[in-house]
Amino acid sequence: MNVKRLTFCALLTAIALTIFMVEAQIPLPAPIPGLKLGLANIVTVYAMFALGPRDTLLILISRVFLGSLFAGGSTLPYSMAGGLCCYLIMLLLRKLLTVKQLWVCGAVSSIFHNIGQVAMAIFITKTPSLILYLPFLLIPGIVAGTFTGLAAQFLLQRLGSRIKL
Amino acid sequence: MNIKSNKFWVIVIAAVLALCLVAVGIWTWWRNSQPEEEGLIAVVRLDGRIVAAVDLNKVTENYTQTFSGESGNSNTVEFAPGQVRVHDATCPDQICVSQGWADRTTLLPIACLPNSLIVEVAAAQDLGLDSISR
């Protein structure tokens, strides 16, 4: 990895982390654990299409790890499970979607983020009925995911050819 | 239909959304249509183990019990006739406290993920916990 690329990855991680911390200050509309806008996913979707899988994994893991460190509380396993599920489906979507379809990537990856989150919660607490949370997370998640994907799409379309690594 | 077309993805995403709405609808209907019966159990799970199972119909006066888990944090659960809530907690987000009272018709279990604490309310026969509650 050359210095320029490394710096760009670090910059994206810092941006994602900033978005994550600002988002954490927004009050939840409903007291549902795990419910959030997921704005930091803009960076992940953008990186997946602009930089490729390897750099995206580094950015994602750094952001999730540092984010849980800054936010406090032991929610790291949930965010990590969600993040990795989201990442795996993006590996597939990357091959299928064009740069004008990043909104799809946002929506679908948010679905898988929630699935990963809930699966980890069921595994840790050994409470199968937590699956009940899934539809309650997915409905707002898909809406928010579509918009974060769209944000990444606009970013990629405007920034695309100007970033040369 | 082409997997790369917008139409395909709109249908997939709309289908998942519709499925979720149906699931929420069915669950809401089911929770509200259950007959009131004896044996309304509040189950408290901490770090994956059941640490309390209380018959809420037998509670006559409110009382609290504090649960401390491996995370080092603790939640104080308040049991009342027919309902239960997390009264206070040492977790950073306090979502479990703001979830408020859970009773027979509440849709979601109370969950405090930072502390790995779950409070579920269900009819005794649905839980299969008869041996514990008696």
Side-chain angles (χ1 to χ4, degrees):
Chain A
M1 190 186 282
N2 66 39
V3 177
K4 201 171 174 189
R5 205 175 176 90
L6 183 68
T7 313
F8 193 56
C9 285
L11 180 67
L12 286 179
T13 307
I15 293 171
L17 200 57
T18 310
I19 295 173
F20 178 85
M21 292 308 291
V22 170
E23 189 193 293
Q25 306 306 314
I26 302 172
L28 293 178
I32 297 177
L35 185 72
K36 56 196 273 188
L37 286 167
L39 296 175
N41 200 36
I42 295 172
V43 174
T44 317
V45 174
Y46 168 76
M48 189 55 119
F49 285 80
L51 296 174
R54 196 189 56 168
D55 293 343
T56 308
L57 187 63
L58 293 175
I59 294 169
L60 178 71
I61 290 179
S62 314
R63 191 260 296 168
V64 171
F65 183 73
L66 291 172
S68 84
L69 210 64
F70 289 158
S74 44
T75 48
L76 179 64
Y78 308 101
S79 339
M80 203 54 104
L84 291 179
C85 265
C86 171
Y87 176 79
L88 289 175
I89 198 69
M90 271 196 230
L91 285 181
L92 182 71
L93 292 171
R94 192 170 160 265
K95 304 276 180 200
L96 294 174
L97 302 174
T98 64
V99 287
K100 284 185 177 166
Q101 289 176 311
L102 260 62
W103 61 272
V104 171
C105 188
V108 176
S109 64
S110 85
I111 295 174
F112 279 82
H113 183 98
N114 287 332
I115 291 174
Q117 248 180 339
V118 172
M120 183 52 92
I122 291 173
F123 175 75
I124 289 183
T125 64
K126 299 194 174 58
T127 311
S129 61
L130 289 187
I131 190 96
L132 293 167
Y133 273 100
L134 197 54
F136 290 89
L137 288 169
L138 283 180
I139 295 168
I142 289 172
V143 178
T146 305
F147 282 100
T148 56
L150 207 53
Q153 183 174 325
F154 293 147
L155 195 64
L156 191 72
Q157 281 171 353
R158 279 161 182 67
L159 218 56
S161 55
R162 280 174 218 172
I163 304 288
K164 288 196 180 67
L165 298 169
Chain B
M1 200 187 313
N2 189 350
I3 193 169
K4 294 189 175 179
S5 69
N6 274 344
K7 199 178 164 193
F8 172 83
W9 291 106
V10 169
I11 290 173
V12 169
I13 293 166
V16 176
L17 261 180
L19 211 64
C20 289
L21 287 169
V22 169
V24 169
I26 290 176
W27 179 237
T28 309
W29 169 79
W30 196 85
R31 267 302 235 193
N32 285 288
S33 68
Q34 293 304 297
E36 279 188 53
E37 54 200 317
E38 287 176 27
L40 184 70
I41 312 290
V43 179
V44 182
R45 274 194 177 81
L46 184 65
D47 298 320
R49 286 186 311 275
I50 295 175
V51 288
V54 176
D55 189 337
L56 294 176
N57 288 342
K58 289 185 184 144
V59 175
T60 50
E61 219 168 84
N62 290 23
Y63 71 96
T64 60
Q65 193 178 343
T66 302
F67 300 94
S68 308
E70 287 162 11
S71 62
N73 288 316
S74 65
N75 300 64
T76 301
V77 179
E78 183 176 3
F79 299 94
Q83 54 183 8
V84 61
R85 69 168 169 177
V86 176
H87 184 268
D88 58 74
T90 58
C91 56
D93 55 22
Q94 300 286 310
I95 292 175
C96 51
V97 178
S98 51
Q99 284 184 305
W101 291 102
D103 61 18
R104 203 173 51 82
T105 59
T106 306
L107 295 177
L108 295 170
I110 297 171
C112 182
L113 294 184
N115 299 3
S116 305
L117 179 120
I118 310 288
V119 184
E120 277 184 279
V121 180
Q125 76 269 23
D126 293 337
L127 288 165
L129 291 172
D130 301 44
S131 55
I132 294 167
S133 56
R134 277 170 201 158

